[in-house]
Amino acid sequence: MKDSNFLLRSEITIDDALKLIKWLNDPMVIKYLNEADNVITYLKWLINSVNPELLTPTLNENGKFYIINSELDQAIGFARLLKKGSGHEIVIVIGERDYWHRSYGTRVIDQLLKIAFLDLRSSYLIAKIHYDNHFSYRAFRKVGFIKVKDETKQQILFLHVKDYLQFMKMQRASDKDILITKADKAKIERIGEFAHNLQKELARAIIVHPQQIKEDVITMNSVFEIKIDDQIKKARLVYPDKAKHEDSLSVLSPLGTAVLGYRRKSFFLWPFAEGKKKIMINEIFYQPEANGNYQL
């Protein structure tokens, strides 16, 4: 599976196995990798005991194993999809230090997501990231992974196929699309009766997990500035029971319904009782999800 920058190669040679051992003997490479010594012992056994033609099927017995090639066809690391029930655990190691911090990890993850969800029909993916491995954490979060658990030394990230598909829809969204979190949609629907326009907006929205929402979207409890025709207004979008202050805008109001889910710098026409008005989202000063608040 290839793009213009790298290749995931599934055929494994003796030279690849020797490179794997070299990488796994580098303390910097394995700093955040578990059980590197066990893997080295296993690879040495494979080289000495297994027919070279059987390296590839042997390394793919419990999932999928790939060599990561650079654009110059140089082997620079490896990736694994380890079978876990109806899903897979994803492991990526860039073994050549010269290729660190050059976005290879993010691009490889993106390709592995397509393989896992579209080819292997995996239900979910898991990634276990050491707390100090900030670059890997950001790479996985960038492609839609959700943090679900903290352990002693590592964080567990998770991505279900349904959340992956919605995340991809969000990535392709235009300025005319609206983006709403699962949590906001559920809370709005629990309010009970609301206007037809809000029902229509919820029905057409792209619904994503709160941890996946883009930071430039008006979500519930966001603080923002909008321009309505020639009038500038700053407000916080709230549920109706919190609309007690002048700068609080209920999501059930016509204007509150209008701005929900739109992105910074987007503009649109919205029908009011007195006629259609042009609304421009000038700025978003605060979004709960961007600040790690997923339960507001």
Side-chain angles (χ1 to χ4, degrees):
M1 188 163 290
K2 182 179 181 182
D3 71 9
S4 60
N5 295 303
F6 68 91
L7 174 68
L8 285 177
R9 175 164 51 84
S10 57
E11 193 68 28
I12 314 300
T13 66
I14 292 292
D15 286 342
D16 293 328
L18 292 171
K19 281 193 175 182
L20 289 169
I21 292 172
K22 183 194 80 168
W23 296 331
L24 294 172
N25 273 311
D26 185 337
M28 292 296 292
V29 171
I30 65 171
K31 186 176 180 180
Y32 305 121
L33 191 65
N34 296 324
E35 300 181 351
D37 291 340
N38 294 341
V39 177
I40 291 172
T41 301
Y42 178 62
L43 288 170
K44 288 180 177 178
W45 175 82
L46 283 180
I47 292 171
N48 295 320
S49 307
V50 175
N51 186 313
E53 295 180 357
L54 297 178
L55 273 178
T56 298
T58 301
L59 288 172
N60 282 271
E61 283 179 349
N62 190 33
K64 292 291 183 179
F65 190 97
Y66 300 94
I67 292 293
I68 303 169
N69 275 10
S70 72
E71 63 272 18
L72 301 176
D73 283 334
Q74 176 186 356
I76 63 171
F78 67 91
R80 296 193 71 184
L81 288 170
L82 299 169
K83 187 67 177 170
K84 299 286 184 180
S86 63
H88 289 82
E89 180 181 340
I90 184 170
V91 178
I92 295 174
V93 175
I94 305 298
E96 297 295 331
R97 296 194 206 176
D98 290 344
Y99 287 85
W100 288 3
H101 313 316
R102 289 170 59 177
S103 298
Y104 276 92
T106 302
R107 287 180 283 167
V108 169
I109 296 169
D110 185 61
Q111 291 297 303
L112 289 173
L113 293 183
K114 294 172 184 175
I115 292 170
F117 289 135
L118 305 182
D119 296 341
L120 303 179
R121 301 299 180 182
S122 185
S123 297
Y124 61 86
L125 288 174
I126 296 173
K128 300 176 181 179
I129 310 297
H130 193 283
Y131 276 108
D132 295 330
N133 195 351
H134 304 298
F135 289 102
S136 287
Y137 179 81
R138 286 197 292 269
F140 278 94
R141 294 285 281 120
K142 186 176 180 180
V143 296
F145 273 77
I146 296 157
K147 181 179 175 180
V148 295
K149 187 178 180 183
D150 287 320
E151 295 186 345
T152 304
K153 293 183 179 180
Q154 62 188 6
Q155 307 165 83
I156 307 300
L157 304 185
F158 181 89
L159 184 59
H160 193 277
V161 61
K162 291 181 180 179
D163 287 324
Y164 168 71
L165 295 174
Q166 289 301 104
F167 179 81
M168 295 306 294
K169 282 185 182 179
M170 180 179 70
Q171 297 298 87
R172 297 190 295 266
S174 72
D175 289 341
K176 303 302 180 185
D177 292 313
I178 62 170
L179 311 174
I180 298 177
T181 72
K182 286 182 178 180
D184 286 350
K185 181 175 185 288
K187 289 179 182 178
I188 291 170
E189 289 178 334
R190 285 200 294 267
I191 293 172
E193 293 295 323
F194 43 75
H196 179 62
N197 278 341
L198 182 52
Q199 292 177 336
K200 286 173 56 179
E201 293 297 275
L202 293 178
R204 79 177 185 92
I206 297 172
I207 309 298
V208 299
H209 192 281
Q211 291 189 38
Q212 294 177 323
I213 195 77
K214 291 180 179 290
E215 295 184 358
D216 62 350
V217 176
I218 294 179
T219 62
M220 293 304 301
N221 291 290
S222 292
V223 179
F224 53 89
E225 180 186 272
I226 56 176
K227 184 178 181 182
I228 312 165
D229 288 340
D230 295 323
Q231 179 186 1
I232 301 294
K233 179 178 179 62
K234 180 179 178 181
R236 179 189 295 270
L237 186 63
V238 299
Y239 297 101
D241 61 323
K242 302 293 184 182
K244 300 173 182 178
H245 303 285
E246 185 178 347
D247 62 348
S248 296
L249 182 63
S250 170
V251 69
L252 298 191
S253 69
L255 184 55
T257 295
V259 300
L260 175 66
Y262 275 101
R263 301 176 65 179
R264 181 174 58 241
K265 303 305 179 187
S266 60
F267 62 91
F268 52 95
L269 293 175
W270 191 262
F272 292 90
E274 59 272 27
K276 287 187 177 181
K277 295 184 179 182
K278 180 180 178 181
I279 299 176
M280 172 80 177
I281 312 298
N282 285 345
E283 190 57 80
I284 298 176
F285 302 108
Y286 170 78
Q287 185 210 70
E289 294 78 11
N291 287 268
N293 297 320
Y294 304 115
Q295 304 300 325
L296 291 183

